[in-house]
Amino acid sequence: MNSPADFHDGFRDDFHDLRHHGDAEVRDGRLTDLAVNVRAGTPPVWLRERIAESLLSLAAYPDGRAAREAVAARHGLPAERVLLTAGAAEAFVLLARGLRASRPVVVHPQFTEPEAALRDAGHAVERVLLRAEDGFRLDPAVVPESADLVIVGNPTNPTSVLHPADDLARLARPGRILVVDEAFMDAVPGEPEALASRTDVPGLVVLRSLTKTWGLAGLRIGYVLAAPETIADLERAQPLWPVATPALAAAEACMSPRALAEAAAAADRIAADRAHLLAGLAEFDEVRMVTEAEGPFVLVRIERADEVRGRLRTLGFAARRGDTFPGLDRHWLRLAVRDRPTTNRFLQALDQALTGVGATAVRG
């Protein structure tokens, strides 16, 4: 009987480049970007104006109280359960340095920064590798009982799989920290599987990012939601004034009713645009998709995808290589969801790229 996942000591599998990210695919600036998951057309004008207004306060040290209260109110939590960070990436570093863990486990394929941060902090990281034939879905039983730190994404980057909240809550144990990366949750209409507002799951730590929906990757703003004692531990690992005044202004603005309504409308558009992309990809025998995608990106398998990706670049499109994610290899690509005209142009380019490299139909 096949296991629903494979378990590995991460140090025995070092061929994945954990520090590679989608921005490396588009740095020349001349390609249509399907490699980075930041929502196109952002930040909106009203948010740029709020950030610009904050520049008048740069002579004063950053004061995060208002932004922290705004985040807390958005999730119905007390402010002591909120920590503002310089993006979700800083939060992973704080977790690796500020929390004691003897057996950390990372569920892959997923965003690679959590494992990289743990390794940099001297931890021996173990991996649970979810399998394509199971739709990259997580069975909580595959996570070792002795793991005292478990990290999982929801929806998971790069698979776009949205795990049921109840399944993730089943991972909680006394003495275990359960970290759920919800960086893309606000791109899911209604956020039905979110754990961000839950206080009944022991050891739960939820990470959120504002860079993807609001186009703030260059500003670096995110936050952690956890029990007050965990927040205190992480805060002690932070430097003084870790989040700059413009980022604090953006965080407060993005919690407003107007912003939340705009984000909800964007999530609905992303869902429709994703359906259009998946329908187009389904026309290619050479492409196998993770069809139950719920995030603003989709994962596809194509024989010789690395060569297809190279050909796409010559045709003006950047796709995210998949082989840097543990559990994937050179036959995988991640594609950001874009508007229909962009997707239609991409599908035409993909047809040319597949023909150009002589890719064959995916089997199995």
Side-chain angles (χ1 to χ4, degrees), residues 135-138 153-157 159-165 167-168 180-182 184-195 274 290 292-295 297:
F136 295 109
R137 294 206 163 273
L138 173 66
N154 203 39
T156 302
N157 173 19
T159 66
S160 206
V161 169
L162 183 66
H163 302 290
D167 284 354
L168 296 182
V180 181
D181 176 8
E182 292 188 352
F184 294 100
M185 187 62 80
D186 59 356
V188 178
E191 301 188 10
E193 307 301 339
L195 290 172
R274 184 182 59 245
V290 179
E292 295 185 15
E294 298 284 351
F297 46 89

Side-chain angles (χ1 to χ4, degrees), residues 213-224:
T213 290
W214 297 109
L216 299 174
L219 198 60
R220 310 311 306 144
I221 179 65
Y223 54 91
V224 180

Side-chain angles (χ1 to χ4, degrees), residues 24-344:
E25 315 277 356
V26 292
R27 283 177 182 160
D28 62 15
R30 296 189 298 271
L31 300 174
T32 298
D33 177 16
L34 274 72
V36 176
N37 294 322
V38 173
R39 182 164 64 98
T42 51
V45 172
W46 62 264
L47 182 53
R48 294 201 302 268
E49 291 175 348
R50 285 289 298 272
I51 293 169
E53 290 171 6
S54 75
L55 300 181
L56 299 175
S57 303
L58 291 185
Y61 284 96
D63 183 349
R65 288 176 296 178
R68 192 173 186 177
E69 291 282 357
V71 170
R74 182 257 191 268
H75 293 288
L77 299 170
E80 58 265 27
R81 296 186 70 95
V82 176
L83 181 67
L84 301 171
T85 61
E90 188 208 7
F92 291 123
V93 173
L94 297 177
L95 289 166
R97 295 178 180 177
L99 301 181
R100 291 179 291 277
S102 60
R103 194 180 183 189
V105 170
V106 179
V107 179
H108 284 290
Q110 79 150 310
F111 186 50
T112 53
E113 277 302 314
E115 179 171 327
L118 286 165
R119 288 193 184 199
D120 288 346
H123 294 279
V125 182
E126 299 172 59
R127 296 172 177 166
V128 168
L129 301 180
L130 306 184
R131 303 189 310 173
E133 52 264 43
D134 301 313
F136 295 109
R137 294 206 163 273
L138 173 66
D139 176 357
V142 304
V143 175
E145 193 69 27
S146 59
D148 58 358
L149 173 64
V150 177
I151 301 179
V152 61
N154 203 39
T156 302
N157 173 19
T159 66
S160 206
V161 169
L162 183 66
H163 302 290
D166 288 346
D167 284 354
L168 296 182
R170 284 170 54 199
L171 291 172
R173 301 283 189 280
R176 171 186 286 179
I177 296 294
L178 171 61
V179 179
V180 181
D181 176 8
E182 292 188 352
F184 294 100
M185 187 62 80
D186 59 356
V188 178
E191 301 188 10
E193 307 301 339
L195 290 172
S197 300
R198 296 274 295 270
T199 60
D200 61 323
V201 181
L204 177 65
V205 176
V206 173
L207 276 56
R208 287 279 180 122
S209 171
L210 299 178
T211 64
K212 312 302 190 300
T213 290
W214 297 109
L216 299 174
L219 198 60
R220 310 311 306 144
I221 179 65
Y223 54 91
V224 180
L225 306 172
E229 58 271 21
T230 301
I231 293 296
D233 288 340
L234 297 177
E235 194 167 19
R236 281 191 288 271
Q238 273 188 317
L240 291 173
W241 309 292
V243 181
T245 296
L248 294 172
E252 184 178 359
C254 290
M255 299 299 117
S256 69
R258 171 186 180 175
L260 295 178
E262 183 174 323
D268 289 336
R269 288 195 301 272
I270 288 168
D273 289 339
R274 184 182 59 245
H276 180 69
L277 173 60
L278 289 171
L281 291 170
E283 297 296 318
F284 296 96
D285 291 338
E286 302 91 339
V287 178
R288 187 176 77 195
M289 303 160 288
V290 179
T291 55
E292 295 185 15
E294 298 284 351
F297 46 89
V298 299
L299 183 66
V300 300
R301 188 181 188 278
I302 306 171
E303 292 294 336
R304 300 162 62 188
D306 51 347
E307 297 175 45
V308 173
R309 173 176 154 270
R311 184 60 63 97
L312 283 169
R313 293 185 69 82
T314 69
L315 296 169
F317 289 87
R320 172 63 159 89
R321 59 189 283 200
D323 62 331
T324 63
F325 294 99
L328 303 181
D329 57 26
R330 71 185 187 92
H331 300 299
W332 293 90
L333 295 176
R334 190 193 70 196
L335 306 172
V337 173
R338 299 295 185 232
D339 60 73
R340 291 191 176 205
T342 301
T343 292
N344 291 340

